[in-house]
Every structure is written in structure tokens, then in C-alpha cells.
Amino acid sequence: MDDHVEASPTKAFRRSKDEKKLFRKQIKSSHILLKHEGIHTTTKPTKHLVVANGGLGNGVSREHLSATLTGIGELETLVMPPHKPYAFVTYRSEESAQKAHIDLNGLKIQCGEDIVTLYFSFVESVKSMEEETVPLPEGLTIVEDFVSLEEEALLLTSIEWPSICDQDTAQKTLKHRKVKHYGYEFRYDNNNVDKDKPLPTGLPGECTPVLERCLKNGYVSKMPDQLTVNQYESGQGIPPHVDTHSAFEDTIMSLSLGAQTVMEFRHPDGRLVAVVLPTRSLLVMKGESRYLWTHGITPRKFDMIPAADSECPILTVSNAVTQSNLTLSKRETRTSFTFRKIRHGPCCCAFPSACDSQGAHSAPKPSQPAPPSLPGCHSDAARLEEQYVHQVYDAIATHFSSTRHSPWPRVCDFLCSLPPGSVLADVGCGNGKYLGVNPQVVAMGCDRSSALVSICAERGFQVFVSDALSVPLRSASCDACISIAVIHHFSTEERRLEAIKELVRLLKPGGRALIYVWAFEQEFNKQKSKYLKDTNKNHRPAESGESSVQANKSLEEDNEGERHMSSYKGTQGKLSVHTNRTAFNTQDLLVPWHLKDGKRGVKGKENIKETPHHQETESITSANAHSDVSRRSELQDRSKEIVTSVKYDQNKSESSSAPVFHRYYHVFQQGELEHMCVQVPGVKVKSSYHDQGNWCVILEKD
Amino acid sequence: MKLLTHNMLTSHVKGVIKGYPLLIKATEVKVNEVEFNPQFVSRMVPKLEWTALIQAAEELGHRQDLPDELIPDYDGNEEFLKKVHRTLLEVEVMEGCLKCPESGREFPISRGIPNMLLNEDEV
């Protein structure tokens, strides 16, 4: 434990060795902090210290760390940036800081079931972060202490759960939250209610006083006639969804009993608001928050919530995030009572895009969506691409961007061969990886994903949002165009051809286009592409035994995770799901993307309880800076994402599920791309080759 | 969105014949300092639609007395190129919209990014 124990002469030699070891580890942690987090440590003593491994990202709570640090001296501030594997402490006096540096360096602390070793280094100063308040979604209200402790107990005992003796139910309780309906049965197969078949018993009598209170306070004008009770154990959640418009009227109320939780609201434009639902609080959703925002509870065992000592009561996590006033809160069993009024007649809300009565497709189902079939016409194709390309990229943008950091050499060759002053269009520019390769050209990028385009803009590139089938640039305005890993996302041959024609339209006479698409033949000339190569290439052993500040593996290009989804073959004409990192066996398929956690190679049944789950936060500039976390901690997803087409992975090797997204691809066979280009008038194929699992073509306009 | 980019952008609404140049309605304009490279600017000039550039610069109030027509001996005229440089690369529309001159359709610009996506019925 304490490495600076007073030693007898016989122990002197060992102590000095231990001291050297500690010193080495401390230096190592300093290097990692600098390399991956940009934190400069100094040997010169100051009031400020960085505590490596003492962060929220390691599962260390504010209370615990604070208690440990105040033992040395009075604290001025304690800053714990969310998701980070470090914290900053400022002592009142430099002496206290120095004492902490000596006494606490190498201290091992218990963190749940793990032991974390803290390393202390001085820093010049501690940067503060900007304020940013995030409002609650429109129409959302949280009423705290809506029921008393007695009422809560009464309500909880009023539910008669089915007995757990039969195998089926036992199996189900392990994976899913428990659900019971009153008034009307809610059906999960069509996300609607059987309005003609009310359940024999209405709502439990115990609910009456609560409901009357709701009426009296004006939260609703009509008495609800449907109740769904959900019980969530730690690690359980519910995927994001909008309550079916046609099934229920506007206001929906949900009472949280037994424990608090964090519910995430997502707007179609990408905004995410994480809201704390305290125990015994009433959540009232109406208007936009009921009809347009999705709400969900991420299956987790810990939430990050505002610390108790915050100055003002903050209900949204985002508000607290920027002040680092966060702490970890362990989930307990929470039971929600959701009261709704059945709607008779169609919904005529102001949000048709999410309304099943007004033509929108029904909300994403919590269960697996049926495998799509290949589209026959443009509008079907557009719909398929919307669900399996556009929504996915918007949802995974930050993670995706972090895996796309190395420009491919042969693409760079093309770019660098362009004469200075050339006008270049990168159609489907993604995270802008290629826009800066040749600074002598005028590069403009466009992409269908606003989330990815925003990333480009933040990097200082000239970009706009548009579709590759209709690029808003003048004809013959470009000296060169590139389309790297784009056209394979179009789901019909006509659309793929249209995309090529559009590139050609943009070219000036004599201009060149470079097109890369994923190849069906991943192995070419007996060389396996990186995609197929050793799946464990990314897994590097921990650099120091105890340190949780690990230099994480740089994610390889096209690496979509090592876990294999059990692929299923749909019926003829249906798209099948591909197993990552294996050879393709069909040309039209869905490729899984696992929104990533930091631990790899965690497989097998023995990890059922212990498997960590967190979603990476990305810093846009340092794509490689990921921090590993102590096994028990789970962190909140901070990326602003739309989560649609999400299927929670029911893989047995994890107790909590990782969201899996499916992207549509049409992988090209040898010669297919070239053959298509030949069909386009006014261009010649100058070069055709295979590069790292892609078929590539260079076209020149006549 | 810089004016260099604007010079290349056009309205692609279905059926529109004269969708260029897009009118700019800016609510927030930024002026950045960008390193001046006279050679680079000189190379850009022939690729521009000069009238469209002047019109756009005028709309934003950054015309800087650039001429209506491109002067023939601009190459080597550093003073002139500097003005062009500023107009093309230093002036940036951060918020506002681009408007199709024929259909009136507006494309929003947010945080410097124009959203040129068309609806299904406009394609």
C-alpha cells in the first residue's frame, strides 16, 4: 500500500527498489497524460496536481477521491472531467500539494471491486471549461417528490408480477426489464394497443389518489386509462423510441419509484439531452417531447449525475458535464408507472414526420427490425439508404471519424498529382480525411451526413451537406473529383450509375475522377486485405500492470469491431447481415457497426456480470486518445447521436447490450465498376486497380 | 462558407434553369486572416465567375472597390490580388441562407455550413 513506510535496515534495499518502480510508473503516467490528453506536468511544485487514474473514467467517485485528498490538507477545488482517467486537485497551499504528492503517490484505492493506483504529478494550472446550459426538451416537465414514501411503497406492492417459477420467465428476467399492463395491453409486435380488447381489470385502485393529483394539478385533462409498469434492474434499459402517436393521446406521465435513473431524449436533429429522473418524481411528456423526441434508458449499471454539492439543482446531465460537477451513481431497481390515455381516432399532431397516422413509418421497434429486401425503385432505395446509411452515419459519426484517420496512400498519390490551384470536389467526404492532403488545391467536400460535415467544418474545411446524386456545384467546375467508399452505399445499379454520372458532370474537360468502392473479392493476388487480417492485431497488452491510463490501440481502418454477430440469412431477396472481418458471400448486405467500448477481446460466459460497457467519447483532434476504464465503471454516451436502426445486441457474452448499427453495402465484383464507367458518355477509364480490398478507377473526361 | 465556395455552388432544384449564382442572405459574417499567397490567388482567378463574385461581395458589403469586370493584367498586380484574396478566402458567411434566384428556395447556412439537401419532391 504505502510505499514510504519506515523501513528497517534489512528492508532498505527493497524499499529503494519499490521507490524506483513507483517513480518509473509515475513518469510513465505523466507521459501518457501528455501524449493522449495533452496535459503538461511539471516537476516544479505548485498548488495543483493531476491525479492519474483518479478520474470518473476509472470509476472513482468524487466523494471517495475528495475524502482521500482532504486527509492531507484543505482543498480549493476538485475537477473531475467526465469520462477521463484523471482528476485535477488544487490545494489551498502548495505545502499541502507537496505533501499529497509524497504521501499519496502510488496509493491504491478500492473502487467497487477493483483496485486503482493513483499517481500524482504537479501541473501549472487547471483549465476551466466553458459554461453551456442545455434546456429540457420542449414540453417536458419533471415534478420532484410527487408521491410520498408511503405512497411509493403502496404502489410497489400493488403490482402482481407473474411468478418466476416457470423457466421462460426466469430466462426473460435475466435479459429484459419486467413489464405489466393494466387497462389495455400494449403490443410490442406492432407497437400499438388493442383498443377493442380492454383488459378485465382496470388500473389498480392504489393509483387513484396519484391520478387525481395529476388531474388537479392540470398535468392532464382526462383520466388516463392505460398503465404500463416497467421494472428495471441495474443493467437493464429500454431502447429509444417515441410512444406510438395513434395509440395514445398527447400527455404521457411516468412515475419513477424505487430508484432514480437517467433517461435520454434525442431529437431528430441530433441533439441529446440526458435527464435525471429522481425517485418518486413524475415525468410529464407532452408536445414535442412526447411526439418527436425519442426517449430511452441506456442499459447500464452506473450513471453519471450532477454531484450533490452543485450550486443549483441541475436535472440535465449536460449542464453539469461542463462544470465537471459529476459523480457516479449506482443504479438500483427502478419501477416506472407510465400512465396514458388511449386515443380513439387518428393522431393529428404537429409532428407528421414521426406520426404513424400522418404517413410516417412507425417508430423504431425495440425488437429486431425485419431484414429489408433489395429495393425495386428509387423511392424504396431512398428509404433503405435513409435507414441503413444516413441515419447510421449520423448516429455513429464521432466514432466513425475516429477510425478514419489515415488517408490511403494511393488516394494521396492522386491528390498530390493535381496541379496547384486545382479545384477538387470530394463527394462523400466523410470526416474530411482527404480535404487537407494537398494544400495547394482548392478542396470542397460534401457529404450526406450533417454530423460528419460538422466534423469537417470544425477542422476548417469548406464543406456543405448534400446528396451525391445531386451535387449543387456548377457543371464543369472541377479539375478533379474523388469518391472514396461512397458509391457502394447506393442500393440500386441505376443510383450507383447516377452517382458516377454526377461526378463526371462536375469535371472540366480533361479533368479526372478517382473512385473507390468496397470489393467483393477481399483477397486479391493472394494478398488478404487488412479487413480480413488477424482480428487480434489491435489488442495490445496493458502498458503498465495496474495503471488504467492505457495507451489505447489505434483503431484500424475499416475495423468494425471484433465481435461477430451471428449472421442470419434472410429469405430470397432479403439482405443478410455480414459477419465482420470475414469474406463476403453476397454482394448486397448489411454490415454491422458496433458502437465501441474500450475493452476488446472480452468474450465468454464468465464475463456476464463483469463486462464493462461504455461508449467512447471522441476528441476530434486526437483520434487515438482513448482511455481504458476500470472494469466496473460504465459511462454515459456524450455524443449527440440519433439512435435509429439500433438493435441491442443480445449476445450472451455481455450482460449489458452494445448498440449495433447496420450499414447497407453493395460490394463490387472485379470489373463491375469499370464496366459501369464505360457506360457513361464522355469519359475514358485511365486506370483500374485493386487497393486494400477496394476496386478503384481513375476516369478522365474528354 | 467562403465566397470561393459560393462561386462554385449552384441551385439544383428540379426544373430550375438559371440557378446560378445563389443569392446570399447573411445574418452573420466573419472575416478571418488567411495567409496571402499571390500565386495561388492568381491561379484561382481564371476559374471564377467574376460577375458572381462581385455580386456576392457586394451583397456582403465586402466589395472593396473591385471592378465590375476582371482586369486583364491581374497577374503580378499584388494590390489587386490582395483584394481578391480577401474577398475569396477571408470573408466567411457563418449564418444565413443561400437563395435560388429562380425558384426562391432557401438553403440554410449554419455554423458556416450550407445545407443543400433537397426534399424528395424537389429532386
Side-chain angles (χ1 to χ4, degrees):
Chain A
M1 272 274 291
D2 189 348
D3 290 326
H4 302 274
V5 168
E6 284 305 296
S8 65
T10 49
K11 280 191 180 168
F13 173 77
R14 200 184 305 140
R15 183 185 68 182
S16 132
K17 220 169 105 177
D18 284 340
E19 273 181 344
K20 278 191 195 161
K21 195 176 173 194
L22 170 64
F23 184 69
R24 271 205 310 275
K25 285 192 177 168
Q26 195 225 304
I27 297 295
K28 185 153 222 169
S29 80
S30 290
H31 281 156
I32 291 170
L33 285 173
L34 178 63
K35 188 168 166 208
H36 291 282
E37 308 284 344
I39 296 171
H40 294 266
T41 57
T42 172
T43 47
K44 185 186 84 134
T46 66
K47 284 200 303 183
H48 315 282
L49 293 157
V50 59
V51 188
N53 295 338
L56 287 172
N58 304 97
V60 176
S61 72
R62 175 176 283 270
E63 289 82 354
H64 192 165
L65 185 63
S66 181
T68 310
L69 296 170
T70 34
I72 297 292
E74 224 186 303
L75 299 187
E76 210 172 86
T77 54
L78 175 60
V79 176
M80 298 186 79
H83 316 299
K84 295 296 187 180
Y86 56 82
F88 292 105
V89 57
T90 303
Y91 278 96
R92 281 235 177 270
S93 71
E94 205 180 278
E95 279 145 2
S96 298
Q98 280 187 292
K99 189 158 189 287
H101 187 261
I102 296 170
D103 288 359
L104 300 177
N105 214 347
L107 179 70
K108 295 192 211 305
I109 59 172
Q110 189 84 23
C111 191
E113 280 192 15
D114 300 307
I115 293 178
V116 174
T117 310
L118 305 178
Y119 297 104
F120 286 71
S121 307
F122 293 108
V123 288
E124 294 278 356
S125 64
V126 178
K127 274 178 277 188
S128 61
M129 282 169 271
E130 274 165 22
E131 291 265 341
E132 202 190 287
T133 43
V134 174
L136 287 175
E138 213 229 289
L140 197 75
T141 318
I142 299 174
V143 189
E144 292 191 75
D145 295 308
F146 193 67
V147 292
S148 65
L149 284 158
E150 291 83 15
E151 285 174 321
E152 176 187 45
L154 193 66
L155 286 164
L156 287 172
T157 50
S158 74
I159 324 155
E160 279 167 22
W161 296 109
S163 65
I164 332 173
C165 21
D166 70 286
Q167 252 266 352
D168 205 21
T169 329
Q171 188 66 12
K172 282 183 182 160
T173 56
L174 285 175
K175 290 186 189 174
H176 296 286
R177 64 190 195 280
K178 288 205 291 220
V179 183
K180 193 168 160 97
H181 303 285
Y182 296 86
Y184 291 81
E185 184 87 39
F186 184 80
R187 292 173 51 178
Y188 292 93
D189 56 346
N190 66 352
N191 271 351
N192 217 314
V193 166
D194 255 325
K195 298 179 190 181
D196 307 316
K197 297 193 202 135
L199 294 168
T201 55
L203 273 55
E206 288 89 343
C207 298
T208 314
V210 176
L211 291 174
E212 284 180 346
R213 196 176 303 154
C214 295
L215 272 169
K216 186 164 149 236
N217 293 359
Y219 302 134
V220 282
S221 51
K222 285 183 252 188
M223 198 62 152
D225 54 9
Q226 200 272 339
L227 165 65
T228 298
V229 182
N230 283 292
Q231 191 169 91
Y232 302 84
E233 309 273 339
S234 174
Q236 292 177 336
I238 181 169
H241 61 283
V242 176
D243 285 17
T244 308
H245 290 211
S246 65
F248 309 108
E249 303 226 349
D250 192 351
T251 311
I252 293 176
M253 301 181 293
S254 191
L255 192 57
S256 294
L257 305 173
Q260 74 181 6
T261 193
V262 173
M263 180 171 276
E264 281 150 359
F265 287 83
R266 291 172 171 86
H267 190 277
D269 68 11
R271 276 177 286 158
L272 177 120
V273 182
V275 181
V276 177
L277 303 181
T279 321
R280 293 186 304 285
S281 68
L282 182 74
L283 172 72
V284 184
M285 288 188 292
K286 60 185 290 182
E288 209 180 281
S289 65
R290 179 261 181 276
Y291 285 121
L292 189 62
W293 294 72
T294 64
H295 56 273
I297 297 176
T298 304
R300 284 195 291 249
K301 295 189 176 166
F302 291 85
D303 289 307
M304 282 223 294
I305 63 162
D309 59 332
S310 321
E311 278 176 1
C312 49
I314 308 169
L315 280 171
T316 59
V317 181
S318 327
N319 286 337
V321 156
T322 54
Q323 299 165 53
S324 289
N325 271 348
L326 292 173
T327 187
L328 285 175
S329 162
K330 187 159 181 273
R331 285 231 187 134
E332 308 292 346
T333 303
R334 170 181 169 269
T335 308
S336 69
F337 277 58
T338 302
F339 298 101
R340 301 181 276 207
K341 173 82 188 69
I342 299 290
R343 181 190 294 274
H344 300 283
C347 175
C348 48
C349 66
F351 309 96
S353 64
C355 184
D356 61 318
S357 297
Q358 298 178 63
H361 299 278
S362 54
K365 296 176 190 166
S367 55
Q368 215 166 346
S373 24
L374 274 176
C377 62
H378 276 295
S379 46
D380 283 347
R383 256 197 294 274
L384 183 132
E385 290 155 23
E386 173 64 33
Q387 187 176 357
Y388 291 98
V389 180
H390 307 311
Q391 289 186 356
V392 176
Y393 276 113
D394 269 338
I396 68 176
T398 347
H399 179 208
F400 177 80
S401 175
S402 73
T403 65
R404 264 64 183 162
H405 45 80
S406 316
W408 285 331
R410 289 190 75 173
V411 179
C412 295
D413 290 343
F414 177 86
L415 294 170
C416 296
S417 74
L418 300 174
S422 295
V423 176
L424 167 75
D426 183 347
V427 181
C429 60
N431 68 344
K433 174 164 96 166
Y434 293 110
L435 294 173
V437 168
N438 182 348
Q440 305 243 37
V441 307
V442 173
M444 290 176 294
C446 66
D447 201 278
R448 186 61 175 67
S449 161
S450 347
L452 285 172
V453 171
S454 297
I455 291 174
C456 296
E458 276 172 55
R459 294 178 172 170
F461 297 125
Q462 285 291 283
V463 281
F464 48 93
V465 181
S466 90
D467 197 302
L469 296 182
S470 178
V471 181
L473 292 171
R474 289 186 278 129
S475 301
S477 59
C478 301
D479 297 293
C481 298
I482 59 172
S483 163
I484 311 298
V486 179
I487 295 179
H488 52 210
H489 282 311
F490 286 106
S491 54
T492 68
E493 196 183 321
E494 291 106 315
R495 288 165 79 80
R496 294 189 280 271
L497 189 60
E498 248 182 71
I500 299 175
K501 287 183 176 165
E502 189 65 353
L503 289 171
V504 172
R505 177 186 72 79
L506 298 178
L507 288 175
K508 291 186 166 70
R512 290 183 162 206
L514 174 66
I515 306 175
Y516 265 58
V517 292
W518 228 3
F520 179 79
E521 303 86 346
Q522 281 299 302
E523 212 172 307
F524 192 69
N525 281 340
K526 299 192 178 140
Q527 259 264 14
K528 274 196 181 157
S529 74
K530 270 192 187 158
Y531 179 72
L532 290 178
K533 277 182 183 157
D534 177 29
T535 59
N536 279 325
K537 190 174 178 182
N538 284 332
H539 186 70
R540 277 186 230 145
E543 287 190 310
S544 80
E546 299 130 4
S547 174
S548 301
V549 181
Q550 283 181 6
N552 209 320
K553 21 282 181 190
S554 64
L555 293 159
E556 188 156 286
E557 292 296 63
D558 285 346
N559 175 19
E560 330 235 89
E562 293 167 3
R563 276 163 294 167
H564 292 176
M565 273 208 55
S566 52
S567 70
Y568 61 91
K569 298 259 188 309
T571 53
Q572 192 156 36
K574 297 279 188 189
L575 289 173
S576 54
V577 178
H578 170 65
T579 306
N580 284 332
R581 296 202 149 252
T582 62
F584 295 119
N585 49 25
T586 120
Q587 277 190 276
D588 293 281
L589 46 123
L590 298 174
V591 179
W593 177 279
H594 298 264
L595 205 55
K596 230 19 189 148
D597 63 1
K599 268 276 200 241
R600 304 221 194 197
V602 177
K603 291 181 185 122
K605 286 185 190 164
E606 67 269 17
N607 286 312
I608 282 177
K609 271 194 184 170
E610 313 303 295
T611 314
H613 171 62
H614 77 273
Q615 292 169 352
E616 284 177 325
T617 56
E618 309 301 330
S619 80
I620 288 159
T621 46
S622 62
N624 294 329
H626 304 306
S627 44
D628 198 1
V629 296
S630 86
R631 274 172 281 131
R632 276 306 203 90
S633 72
E634 284 156 311
L635 304 171
Q636 187 153 342
D637 176 5
R638 269 182 77 200
S639 47
K640 299 188 193 311
E641 297 171 353
I642 304 169
V643 180
T644 57
S645 295
V646 169
K647 169 178 129 34
Y648 279 87
D649 188 353
Q650 298 299 313
N651 195 315
K652 272 193 280 184
S653 63
E654 298 168 34
S655 64
S656 52
S657 330
V660 179
F661 295 86
H662 290 128
R663 283 179 304 164
Y664 167 81
Y665 281 88
H666 168 89
V667 293
F668 283 67
Q669 287 190 322
Q670 183 169 13
E672 187 182 335
L673 179 62
E674 206 178 322
H675 176 76
M676 282 179 77
C677 293
V678 156
Q679 290 174 56
V680 179
V683 268
K684 277 199 223 26
V685 175
K686 295 302 280 183
S687 171
S688 172
Y689 58 93
H690 188 274
D691 181 21
Q692 279 306 306
N694 298 284
W695 286 118
C696 323
V697 147
I698 297 181
L699 300 175
E700 191 177 283
K701 189 157 176 182
D702 296 339
Chain B
M1 179 202 69
K2 298 186 181 178
L3 291 186
L4 177 52
T5 310
H6 168 262
N7 204 262
M8 311 284 159
L9 285 171
T10 181
S11 165
H12 53 152
V13 175
K14 183 167 78 177
V16 162
I17 301 167
K18 192 54 172 59
Y20 181 87
L22 289 155
L23 305 165
I24 311 179
K25 283 160 66 172
T27 54
E28 191 190 314
V29 179
K30 221 170 56 158
V31 180
N32 311 302
E33 212 180 288
V34 176
E35 204 182 311
F36 175 53
N37 182 337
Q39 249 189 342
F40 182 83
V41 182
S42 186
R43 285 197 182 107
M44 283 321 302
V45 170
K47 312 211 177 182
L48 303 169
E49 283 290 320
W50 187 258
T51 325
L53 177 68
I54 296 302
Q55 188 180 319
E58 185 88 52
E59 278 176 306
L60 299 181
H62 280 277
R63 187 175 167 160
Q64 309 165 83
D65 75 345
L66 282 169
D68 278 335
E69 272 174 35
L70 182 60
I71 60 174
D73 51 348
Y74 59 84
D75 189 28
N77 183 335
E78 193 152 306
E79 203 189 302
F80 176 78
L81 289 176
K82 241 206 152 154
K83 288 190 193 151
V84 177
H85 165 85
R86 188 180 149 95
T87 311
L88 278 181
L89 300 173
E90 294 190 328
V91 176
E92 204 170 344
V93 179
M94 299 308 290
E95 302 286 332
C97 69
L98 293 169
K99 186 166 167 168
C100 172
E102 193 178 304
S103 69
R105 204 312 192 167
E106 289 188 355
F107 299 96
I109 302 176
S110 171
R111 289 153 117 189
I113 304 169
N115 186 336
M116 309 299 294
L117 272 181
L118 293 169
N119 302 321
E120 264 177 50
D121 48 317
E122 293 173 301
V123 171

